[in-house]
Amino acid sequence: MNLTSMPTHFVQSCWRIIKTDLALFRRFPRLGLATLAIALVPAAYALIYLSSVWDPNAKTSDLPVGIVNLDEGYDYRGRVTNVGAELTTELIQSATFGFRSMEDEQAARQAVKFGDLAFAVIIPKDFSANAVPGTHAGAGKVTVVMSEGNNYAAAGFARRFAVDLGHQVNEALNEKRWEQVLVSVDGSGKRLEMLRGGMAQLRTGAQTYSDGVARYHGAAAQLAGGFKQVGAGIRAMESGLPPEAELQSLKNGTQRLALRQREMGEGLVQLQAGARQLATGATQLQEETAGLPFIGEKIAAGAGELAAGGQQLTDGLTTALNANARLTRGAGKVEEGTGKLVEGASALGEGLRSLAEKLPEDARLDAFAKGGEELVRGAAKLRTSIDLVESALPATLGQMDGSARGLADSVEPALEVLAPVANNGSAFAPNMIAMALWLGAVMAVYLFNVRVLAAEHAGAPTLAKTLGKFATPALLVLAQTFLTFLMLVYGLGIAVPDYLSFSLSMITAGQAFLAIVFLLLRALGEAGKLIVILLLTLQLAAGGGVMPIELTADFFQAVHGWLPFTWVVKAFRASLFGAFDHGWVLAWLEVALIGTLALLLASLVRRWQTVAAADYKPGIEI
């Protein structure tokens, strides 16, 4: 065989092997039905699994959850609040889960225990009393009762709900507290204005008080000086008063004067009576002596003059008596006035002595005047203190911006999604598609005995034998891939931004998986089937399809980069979601390289078993 005929011979050998495998469909009609069933398996597997996890969050409202609110409420600074009742209402209205209100705590626990409830929320009676004041972290306790043994996934929902519930309650409480703060600030602002107004009035009053104290100080000094002068004058008056003996002597003299005056009046009465008798005797003498010769006229004339003189004396004594009567009356008044004067002087002396005793001493008057000076200094200090307090007061507290809700939850993370995923099912799709294609490849290989050739192909080139035996299962895997693609796009409605990259990734992944399974069965025979299953399990754990590889054990992290699943999942994520900066090409080349190497190795391991054409059968009983 020359070199020019080698490619033709290789192709013809491959084609003859392929025709032999395809002839099995004519010889064994049920093989076609088995092939069709196997072709549908990957699509059915992916459909069943992905549809079950497609969007579980949209169905959480059907998950039964009990709420037992025992909260008795709390009076916080004059405002009665019941956080438990508010929380129950909000949860039921949210319809996040199938919330139902219950009265009995034990009944709720039993319902969780028997599986009638996914979980239960129990709000204790002192919840508001502990949660609203916020005396310490975690004071308000809400119990979430769950049963991991009944359903671990439902318990996982309960755990996440407990975290969200704590955030929700804290957010609501913070809103209430900020509302209280805003009300307090507003009230404090008004009180500050009242305080500033009061300080202004106090400053005015202090100024008035200071002026009054200054005037009081001057008046006090004058009053002290006046009292000193009054005291000196009283003491001078007291010393100038006559002694009691002199006053008594004056009284006695006025009494004697009045007595002598009365005695003088009596003497004048007697003298007047004698003057009348004299005038009468002189008249008689004049009359009797008028007839006497020679001397009778002279005696009568002398008697007449004596009678006239007597009469004048009588008249003068009458006048003297009248004057004496007036003197007597005056002397009586003098006596009476003197008595009163003496009594008044005595009383004045007693009053002056009593007043002098009651007047404060000069030392006390000096202290009184000094107290006025201290009041002036105190008033000045009061004004200074008022000015200091007023200057320390803020001009205004200012109205806080924002609302209670904004202040309680002022920070909201902004999520920037670089490679968005539509839903939970789409997120699982890369891993599940890889798993479905792997299972499809396994089933496809099981249909055809990859270690047996018809005797007529024994002389074919080694690589031709491998490619020929690989071709028919590869066509089946291609059909599986096509059906799975249709199911994903038109059955589940997965959004595919780039059909070319996604379809190439699926086709390459299916053929690469087939090559790997083909290699393992060629090399290990029946034991290879066990290795295929174990390898699938390993790849599900270490391929990074379910959780970040960094969260797995060290062994899985070590083998992560050597597994075909790793690159298949990356290629699917890049083509479906734009992950890894749309870097699907590198991952696709890695998968293609792994498949190519596996197929080349499959041609080098173990010899082919040959059987007669009549004994050449499918790999499974049909």
Side-chain angles (χ1 to χ4, degrees), residues 282-283 285-286 289 295-310:
T283 301
L285 178 62
Q286 182 182 11
T289 61
I295 60 172
E297 281 183 26
K298 290 182 179 182
I299 294 173
E305 292 179 357
L306 182 58

Side-chain angles (χ1 to χ4, degrees), residues 4-240:
T4 57
S5 63
M6 287 183 63
T8 303
H9 177 67
F10 179 82
V11 173
Q12 289 175 350
S13 298
C14 288
W15 176 240
R16 283 194 294 270
I17 295 173
I18 293 172
K19 286 175 64 178
T20 301
D21 281 341
L22 292 177
L24 292 174
F25 288 95
R26 290 194 302 271
R27 294 172 56 197
F28 302 94
R30 293 183 180 181
L31 181 60
L33 295 176
T35 301
L36 178 60
I38 291 175
L40 291 172
V41 166
Y45 177 82
L47 174 63
I48 293 170
Y49 186 86
L50 291 178
S51 61
S52 69
V53 297
W54 188 250
D55 193 5
N57 291 328
K59 301 290 290 181
T60 57
S61 59
D62 295 333
L63 199 64
V65 177
I67 303 179
V68 182
N69 178 32
L70 306 175
D71 191 7
E72 297 178 347
Y74 183 63
D75 187 347
Y76 184 63
R77 297 186 178 182
R79 301 184 65 183
V80 178
T81 182
N82 190 310
V83 181
E86 295 175 4
L87 179 61
T88 301
T89 301
E90 291 179 6
L91 290 177
I92 293 176
Q93 291 177 350
S94 70
T96 305
F97 296 99
F99 290 110
R100 60 187 69 172
S101 181
M102 302 180 68
E103 301 294 333
D104 189 355
E105 177 181 353
Q106 290 303 320
R109 293 181 183 274
Q110 290 290 0
V112 174
K113 182 181 296 184
F114 292 124
D116 297 329
L117 293 177
F119 59 91
V121 180
I122 299 176
I123 304 172
K125 63 180 181 180
D126 56 354
F127 179 62
S128 293
N130 290 330
V132 173
T135 55
H136 61 275
K141 301 292 186 184
V142 176
T143 303
V144 178
V145 182
M146 56 186 165
S147 175
E148 292 183 339
N150 286 4
N151 191 304
Y152 194 79
F157 277 115
R159 292 182 187 278
R160 290 190 292 273
F161 168 76
V163 175
D164 293 339
L165 179 65
H167 174 73
Q168 179 180 350
V169 174
N170 285 328
E171 186 177 279
L173 290 175
N174 286 337
E175 182 176 351
K176 291 181 180 295
R177 294 183 185 117
W178 275 112
E179 183 179 355
Q180 187 73 30
V181 169
L182 289 177
V183 171
S184 300
V185 168
D186 182 58
S188 299
K190 293 178 181 178
R191 291 184 179 88
L192 176 63
E193 292 300 321
M194 295 174 61
L195 180 59
R196 293 186 64 84
M199 291 300 297
Q201 294 179 0
L202 182 61
R203 185 179 64 253
T204 302
Q207 180 63 49
T208 304
Y209 171 72
S210 179
D211 296 340
V213 166
R215 290 193 296 271
Y216 166 78
H217 173 56
Q222 293 178 357
L223 182 62
F227 269 116
K228 287 182 179 180
Q229 292 177 359
V230 169
I234 289 174
R235 287 188 289 273
M237 289 175 62
E238 186 179 10
S239 63

Side-chain angles (χ1 to χ4, degrees), residues 254-276:
T254 55
Q255 289 176 349
R256 287 194 297 274
L257 175 63
L259 179 62
R260 297 293 185 269
Q261 194 67 41
R262 287 191 295 274
E263 290 177 351
M264 182 179 177
E266 292 175 357
L268 287 174
V269 169
Q270 293 176 359
L271 184 60
Q272 185 183 30
R276 287 193 185 100

Side-chain angles (χ1 to χ4, degrees), residues 500-520:
L500 176 62
S501 63
F502 184 53
S503 59
L504 283 177
S505 297
M506 286 190 67
I507 292 170
T508 305
Q511 298 304 313
F513 289 163
L514 177 61
I516 295 170
V517 175
F518 189 85
L519 168 63
L520 292 174

Side-chain angles (χ1 to χ4, degrees), residues 340-365:
K340 292 180 179 181
L341 176 61
V342 171
E343 292 177 357
S346 298
L348 176 61
E350 291 294 332
L352 288 175
R353 282 190 294 273
S354 177
L355 181 60
E357 292 175 355
K358 292 181 179 180
L359 283 176
E361 299 176 356
D362 290 348
R364 296 182 63 186
L365 291 174

